[in-house]
């Protein structure tokens, strides 16, 4: 994992002092409320329905134990004993007090953390494949360039005041686990077939929200050394050409849509040609310095199969279920990446108590080389666990209600905070997730349904990624009543697709039945070995629509 | 209006005109009049141009040698287009004075300086709340940056510092 050097450390400390000064200048009237607002947002501080909310950056979803323990301490001393992991792999505290924020920022700086650019019209927290560095299908670990981009985008003097937020994701594997195509800018590490060198495919203009678009390829192959100069060119073109007349048309995706990808490419390439690359790019030695922090830990040579784990599974069918659902194939023989579900049946997706944080931190230290990941699906990962240790890890997780065996299953629901917390929300989303979770709680039923994703957003801004859920649920307000639109067929992976609407919105109480209908169509129609999304692609929308209509008609 | 640079408040020696009445020694004209103003320029007279943030740096490139000042308008503090225009002007070789004009906040002063601005022209309503001392303090508050090629004042570039440390380390071996 990356560790701050003296410069990273000093910059974050100075940023804390800067925010304290901004708060003081708001209080003494030097700054108006309108002037203070973007400054506060750039430091991750929102005013929500009931309280301030503080959003803490977890760069490319990477944490170590000491950081998670510090988050637990902040939860206990300055919040209400829990936090919430988001789809941008950040952590939110929902009950912050303005007067405490500078102190909390200081505590974060003590463990190399901050809230810089977790909101506002600037480059946001960079996300990455949560199995980066350990995935069996990886071309190259994307964390070094994620860190390079984190540093480059931090307090960037030219790009702190963009027309709208700007999200970047990086992936180094063949399978896309970082939802690259829903980002303003995606970086995919690819290998040049001719030279065998690795470089970057750059995609732009993706986004969810009220006008969802899939990102398009802007550059097929960018040499490694030019990454920062090229990013500068893209951001400059966006800053200059992006619309500023309408907040809802200000994202890069709208510029791509209105100009066309070819015209945008011409502008970017022209700007790129003007940039003095030697003056802007990071030295190869700097890239190597960062990459060295991500060298693989001291793995042992272990057999492919763990007899210990196999025997334990025979004795404990629940462990067997956990192994089947929550383990991911590691690139190192004898190891596995264990996903910790933050989706207990009936729980709030992504929520974690301070006591659970401490338990997970202990496990990371004892079993995973002190490493943790946050996933965009609002779960945690112990990326480096020996297969021999899985049963012990499972027992420890179970003791803290963290052993739910449902990763990638129908109860592994992504949900935004919705109207329970968020001032933008038009409907509640957490209670919908909870009801659906109870509805499909039976492990045998979940196993029968197999791999399927439900994603819920409480407003059109789509923080819950509903567009790319196999089953997407969007909460809206219709004549003072919460109403839920359901889509099917969304896919966040390399087979990226936006879901299709089934019909009119239905009231909350009809949602479980509607989802049931959708699942029943799949179960009735699926062929040998087909997942939900595969069946959907083969049979299309019509059968799902017909089944949904029965519910919609009753609901109407 | 308050005019300030990294040293503090300064007198504005320039006269803004909207017509070709360019009798003063230092005159700022709108971009539509720039060509005519330059053609009518007296020996020793300095011409500046004021542009909106929808105008492009490339359009001024032919006049770089003759232009003494470019004023870029910031319609609001949080519209940061002007920062990119300034950066482009500097990258393409403009070496005259660069002025940002509009209701910026002092926290943006380091951004403006880093992108190549020399001075800020602040409306009275902003200047009354944010005195010059706040601007000077803001410029010094963050002493480091990560972005190579954006150098200003007392700010040290982190990548350059690391590079220097590597070289010093190699020399000591």
């Amino acid at each position: 994992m990356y560790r701050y050097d003296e410069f990273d450390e000093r910059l974050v400390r100075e940023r804390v002092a800067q925010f304290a000064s901004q708060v003081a200048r708001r209080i003494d009237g030097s700054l108006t409320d309108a002037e203070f607002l973007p400054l506060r947002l750039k430091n991750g501080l929102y005013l929500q329905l009931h309280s301030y909310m503080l959003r803490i950056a977890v760069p490319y979803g990477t944490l170590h134990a000491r950081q998670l323990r510090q988050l637990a301490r902040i939860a206990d001393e300055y919040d209400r004993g829990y936090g919430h992991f988001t789809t941008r792999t950040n952590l939110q505290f929902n009950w912050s007090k303005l007067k405490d924020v500078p102190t909390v920022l200081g505590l974060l700086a003590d463990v190399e953390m901050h809230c810089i650019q977790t909101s506002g019209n600037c480059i946001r927290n960079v996300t990455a494949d949560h199995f980066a560095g350990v995935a069996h299908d990886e071309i190259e670990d994307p964390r070094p360039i994620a860190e390079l981009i984190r540093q480059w985008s931090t307090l960037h003097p030219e790009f702190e005041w963009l027309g709208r937020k700007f999200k970047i994701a990086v992936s180094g594997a063949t399978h896309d686990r970082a939802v690259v195509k829903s980002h303003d800018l995606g970086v995919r590490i690819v290998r040049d077939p001719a030279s065998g060198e690795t470089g970057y495919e750059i995609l732009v203009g993706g986004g969810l929200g009220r006008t969802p678009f899939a990102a398009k390829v802007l550059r097929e192959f960018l040499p490694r050394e030019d990454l920062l100069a090229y990013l500068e060119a893209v951001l400059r073109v966006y800053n200059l050409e992006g619309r500023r007349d309408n907040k809802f048309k200000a994202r890069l995706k709208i510029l791509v849509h209105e100009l066309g990808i070819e015209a945008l490419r011409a502008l970017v390439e022209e700007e790129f040609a003007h940039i003095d690359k030697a003056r802007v790019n990071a030295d190869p030695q700097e890239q190597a310095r960062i990459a060295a922090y991500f060298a693989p830990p001291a793995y042992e040579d272990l057999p492919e199969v763990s007899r210990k784990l196999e025997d334990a599974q025979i004795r404990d069918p629940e462990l067997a279920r956990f192994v089947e659902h929550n383990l991911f194939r590691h690139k190192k023989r004898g190891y596995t990446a264990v996903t910790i579900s933050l989706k207990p049946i009936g729980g709030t997706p992504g929520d974690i108590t301070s006591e659970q944080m401490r338990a997970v931190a202990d496990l990371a230290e004892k079993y995973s080389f002190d490493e943790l990941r946050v996933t965009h699906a609002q779960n945690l990962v112990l990326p480096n666990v020996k297969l021999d240790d899985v049963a012990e890890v499972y027992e420890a997780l179970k003791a803290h209600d963290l052993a739910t065996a449902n990763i990638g299953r129908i109860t592994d629901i992504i949900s935004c905070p919705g109207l329970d917390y968020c001032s933008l929300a038009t409907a509640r989303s957490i209670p919908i997730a909870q009801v659906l979770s109870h509805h499909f709680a039976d492990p045998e039923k979940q196993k029968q349904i197999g791999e399927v994703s439900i994603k819920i957003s409480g407003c059109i801004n789509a923080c819950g990624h509903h567009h790319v859920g196999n089953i997407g649920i969007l909460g809206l307000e219709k004549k003072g009543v919460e109403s839920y639109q359901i889509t099917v067929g969304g896919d966040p992976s390399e087979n990226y697709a936006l879901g299709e609407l089934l019909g009119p919105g239905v009231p909350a109480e009809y949602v479980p039945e509607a989802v049931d209908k959708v699942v029943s169509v799949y179960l009735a129609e699926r062929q040998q070995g087909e997942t939900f999304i595969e069946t959907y692609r083969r049979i299309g929308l019509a059968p799902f629509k017909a089944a949904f209509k029965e519910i919609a008609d009753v609901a109407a | 209006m308050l005019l300030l640079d990294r040293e503090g408040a300064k007198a504005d020696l320039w006269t803004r005109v909207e017509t070709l009445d360019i009798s003063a020694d230092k005159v700022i004209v709108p971009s539509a009049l720039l060509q005519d103003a330059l053609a009518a320029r007296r020996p020793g007279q300095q011409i500046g141009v004021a542009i909106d943030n929808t105008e492009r740096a490339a359009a001024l490139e032919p006049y770089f040698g003759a232009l003494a000042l470019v004023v870029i308008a910031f319609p609001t503090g949080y519209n940061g287009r002007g920062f990119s225009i300034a950066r482009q002007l500097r990258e393409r070789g403009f070496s005259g004075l660069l002025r940002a004009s509009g209701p910026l906040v002092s926290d943006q002063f380091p951004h403006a300086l880093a992108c190549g601005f020399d001075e800020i022209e602040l409306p009275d309503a902003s200047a009354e709340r944010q005195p010059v001392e706040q601007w000077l303090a803001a410029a010094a508050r963050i002493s480091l940056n990560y972005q190579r090629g954006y150098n200003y004042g007392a700010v040290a570039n982190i990548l350059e510092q690391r590079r220097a440390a590597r070289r010093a380390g190699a020399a000591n071996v």
Side-chain angles (χ1 to χ4, degrees):
Chain A
M1 267 188 73
Y2 187 73
R3 296 296 157 116
Y4 283 7
D5 67 4
E6 59 185 299
F7 306 114
D8 301 309
E9 157 91 16
R10 202 198 318 163
L11 185 122
V12 168
R13 295 284 178 194
E14 290 178 352
R15 177 73 182 102
V16 174
Q18 183 185 45
F19 184 70
S21 154
Q22 289 166 346
V23 172
R25 280 179 284 130
R26 172 66 198 113
I27 291 168
D28 75 16
S30 299
L31 295 168
T32 64
D33 211 26
E35 286 169 337
F36 180 61
L37 174 71
L39 302 174
R40 150 164 91 64
L41 290 177
K42 279 182 218 300
N43 203 58
L45 191 63
Y46 282 75
L47 187 55
Q48 292 291 45
L49 287 175
H50 314 292
S51 165
Y52 279 103
M53 177 269 278
L54 186 65
R55 185 182 288 159
I56 297 160
V58 182
Y60 40 97
T62 305
L63 277 174
H64 57 75
R66 203 169 135 245
Q67 294 175 320
L68 192 56
R69 275 196 203 101
Q70 188 80 330
L71 294 171
R73 178 183 163 189
I74 294 168
D76 283 340
E77 293 178 15
Y78 297 95
D79 216 84
R80 294 196 183 170
Y82 69 99
H84 173 79
F85 284 109
T86 75
T87 49
R88 271 217 87 58
T89 75
N90 292 312
L91 181 91
Q92 293 179 178
F93 285 123
N94 289 310
W95 307 99
S96 297
K97 293 182 190 72
L98 184 59
K99 68 170 175 55
D100 293 337
V101 171
T103 311
V104 170
L105 293 178
L107 291 171
L108 291 172
D110 290 345
V111 292
E112 305 178 7
M113 296 186 82
H114 58 72
C115 298
I116 298 171
Q117 290 162 220
T118 52
S119 177
N121 295 336
C122 51
I123 304 170
R124 300 290 189 88
N125 185 36
V126 179
T127 52
D129 183 343
H130 45 268
F131 294 128
V134 304
H136 62 87
D137 63 342
E138 193 163 83
I139 297 163
E140 193 177 286
D141 186 347
R143 289 173 300 169
I145 59 161
E147 175 58 27
L148 182 68
I149 294 170
R150 181 193 76 80
Q151 296 188 19
W152 168 82
S153 61
T154 296
L155 308 186
H156 197 299
E158 189 179 342
F159 307 129
E160 279 273 292
W161 303 91
L162 300 170
R164 200 76 175 84
K165 60 188 166 187
F166 196 95
K167 297 178 180 176
I168 299 177
V170 294
S171 163
T174 49
H175 185 64
D176 179 4
R177 288 174 287 264
V179 207
V180 166
K181 286 191 175 173
S182 76
H183 285 76
D184 292 280
L185 190 143
V187 182
R188 287 185 57 230
I189 299 176
V190 291
R191 202 176 287 286
D192 181 22
S195 68
E197 289 287 303
T198 54
Y200 312 119
E201 180 185 62
I202 308 290
L203 299 97
V204 290
L208 299 172
R210 72 184 60 213
T211 33
F213 284 108
K216 296 186 170 76
V217 175
L218 187 66
R219 185 58 115 86
E220 279 178 10
F221 190 85
L222 181 72
R224 319 173 54 89
E225 61 273 18
D226 279 336
L227 182 63
L228 297 187
Y230 194 80
L231 291 181
E232 186 177 311
V234 175
L235 265 296
R236 184 167 302 136
V237 168
Y238 168 58
N239 197 28
L240 289 168
E241 307 294 334
R243 285 178 62 172
R244 302 246 180 190
D245 59 323
N246 180 342
K247 172 182 170 188
F248 301 121
K249 296 187 187 298
R251 290 283 290 273
L252 177 59
K253 61 187 175 182
I254 303 294
L255 184 66
V256 173
H257 178 66
E258 291 182 353
L259 274 184
I261 189 75
E262 292 79 16
L264 183 78
R265 186 178 298 125
L267 288 172
V268 169
E269 291 295 334
E270 195 203 336
E271 190 56 43
F272 184 55
H274 269 102
I275 292 175
D276 181 352
K277 293 165 191 70
R279 202 155 79 91
V280 166
N281 282 321
D283 290 344
Q285 294 92 323
E286 170 64 6
Q287 295 210 28
R289 183 191 74 85
I290 294 174
Y293 285 102
F294 300 98
Y299 292 123
E300 291 171 37
D301 272 324
L302 297 170
E304 184 83 46
V305 173
S306 162
R307 285 292 298 277
K308 194 176 158 194
L309 179 57
E310 301 223 316
D311 291 346
Q313 286 185 81
I314 292 165
R315 288 193 302 272
D316 183 352
E318 282 186 38
L319 170 65
R321 204 189 303 280
F322 181 82
V323 167
E324 187 189 344
H325 292 160
N326 293 39
L327 267 49
F328 180 81
R329 197 175 131 206
H330 203 283
K331 64 163 66 156
K332 179 68 186 171
R333 207 175 55 186
Y335 286 81
T336 185
V338 175
T339 302
I340 301 169
S341 172
L342 299 181
K343 320 289 175 67
I345 296 305
T348 299
D351 271 15
I352 182 167
T353 66
S354 56
E355 174 257 323
Q356 288 174 322
M357 290 183 205
R358 291 190 185 93
V360 172
D362 291 347
L363 288 174
E365 268 174 353
K366 192 165 176 199
Y367 296 105
S368 187
F369 295 99
D370 194 18
E371 259 198 68
L372 280 162
R373 306 288 171 76
V374 185
T375 81
H376 79 267
Q378 304 175 286
N379 294 311
L380 294 174
V381 174
L382 295 166
N384 288 308
V385 179
K386 278 187 217 170
L387 287 171
D388 278 346
D389 291 337
V390 167
E392 283 170 48
V393 169
Y394 170 75
E395 286 303 324
L397 289 172
K398 211 162 104 174
H400 297 277
D401 197 20
L402 287 168
T404 313
N406 64 350
I407 299 306
R409 308 290 138 164
I410 196 161
T411 58
D412 183 7
I413 298 170
I414 289 182
S415 171
C416 73
L419 202 49
D420 289 295
Y421 295 98
C422 180
S423 56
L424 300 172
T426 44
R428 287 170 302 166
S429 39
I430 292 168
I432 301 293
Q434 290 169 329
V435 165
L436 286 171
S437 173
H438 279 299
H439 188 82
F440 291 104
D442 176 12
E444 281 311 310
K445 177 85 176 167
Q446 290 196 58
K447 188 173 172 160
Q448 187 204 356
I449 297 168
E451 197 183 314
V452 61
S453 60
I454 295 181
K455 306 190 187 215
I456 308 173
S457 305
C459 83
I460 193 76
N461 293 309
C463 293
H465 291 190
H466 66 275
H467 295 294
V468 292
N470 294 166
I471 300 171
I473 301 174
L474 166 62
L476 297 167
E477 187 239 286
K478 220 161 88 180
K479 293 177 192 140
V481 181
E482 289 162 305
S483 168
Y484 295 87
Q485 288 186 350
I486 300 180
T487 50
V488 291
D491 186 341
S493 77
E494 63 281 7
N495 304 310
Y496 193 86
L498 299 169
E500 303 268 357
L501 194 59
L502 283 177
V506 295
E509 60 269 32
Y510 289 92
V511 171
E513 224 178 314
V515 174
D516 243 355
K517 284 280 180 196
V518 167
V519 170
S520 303
V521 171
Y522 157 64
L523 292 176
E525 297 288 335
R526 75 170 161 193
Q527 293 177 353
Q528 188 65 37
E530 263 182 354
T531 60
F532 178 91
I533 194 70
E534 287 163 352
T535 299
Y536 169 81
R537 280 197 209 109
R538 180 172 54 78
I539 68 175
L541 183 64
F544 293 98
K545 231 174 162 164
F548 176 77
K549 192 168 184 304
E550 295 170 33
I551 302 292
D553 288 348
V554 176
Chain B
M1 292 284 201
L2 168 68
L3 188 67
L4 63 105
D5 65 12
R6 68 185 78 214
E7 306 298 327
K10 63 195 280 194
D12 191 355
L13 305 175
W14 291 80
T15 307
R16 264 199 205 234
V17 298
E18 298 300 325
T19 64
L20 265 183
D21 169 26
I22 54 169
S23 48
D25 288 340
K26 293 169 180 278
V27 192
I28 302 167
V29 300
S31 51
L33 299 180
L34 177 60
Q35 222 167 345
D36 292 342
L38 288 172
R41 181 168 58 147
R42 290 181 277 108
Q45 190 185 31
Q46 291 190 308
I47 303 291
V49 66
I51 63 168
D52 288 334
N53 73 355
T54 49
E55 297 182 62
R56 292 291 169 260
L60 295 179
E61 218 167 331
Y63 313 109
F64 279 179
L67 260 178
L69 168 75
V70 176
V71 181
I72 302 172
F74 281 72
T76 64
Y78 33 81
N79 183 333
R81 236 180 222 168
F83 295 125
S84 281
I85 298 172
R87 170 78 174 169
Q88 277 187 326
L89 287 170
R90 290 299 187 213
E91 286 285 283
R92 291 169 192 221
F94 176 67
S95 58
L97 271 179
L98 254 180
R99 178 188 291 188
S101 177
L104 296 176
V105 296
S106 61
D107 300 273
Q108 293 175 308
F109 194 29
H111 306 151
L113 294 173
C115 290
F117 283 109
D118 300 292
E119 55 190 38
I120 310 282
E121 184 182 32
L122 202 60
D124 292 337
S126 304
E128 279 160 21
R129 286 182 287 99
Q130 304 179 74
V132 173
E133 305 76 65
Q134 290 193 5
W135 290 76
L136 298 180
R141 200 162 272 128
I142 308 275
S143 66
L144 296 159
N145 71 359
Y146 285 111
Q147 297 77 25
R148 289 186 65 222
Y150 292 78
N151 300 324
Y152 60 100
V155 174
N157 183 265
I158 295 173
L159 272 61
E160 302 293 352
Q161 304 260 325
R162 287 175 181 154
R163 180 193 261 181
R166 268 196 298 275
R167 286 193 179 145
N172 289 337
V173 171

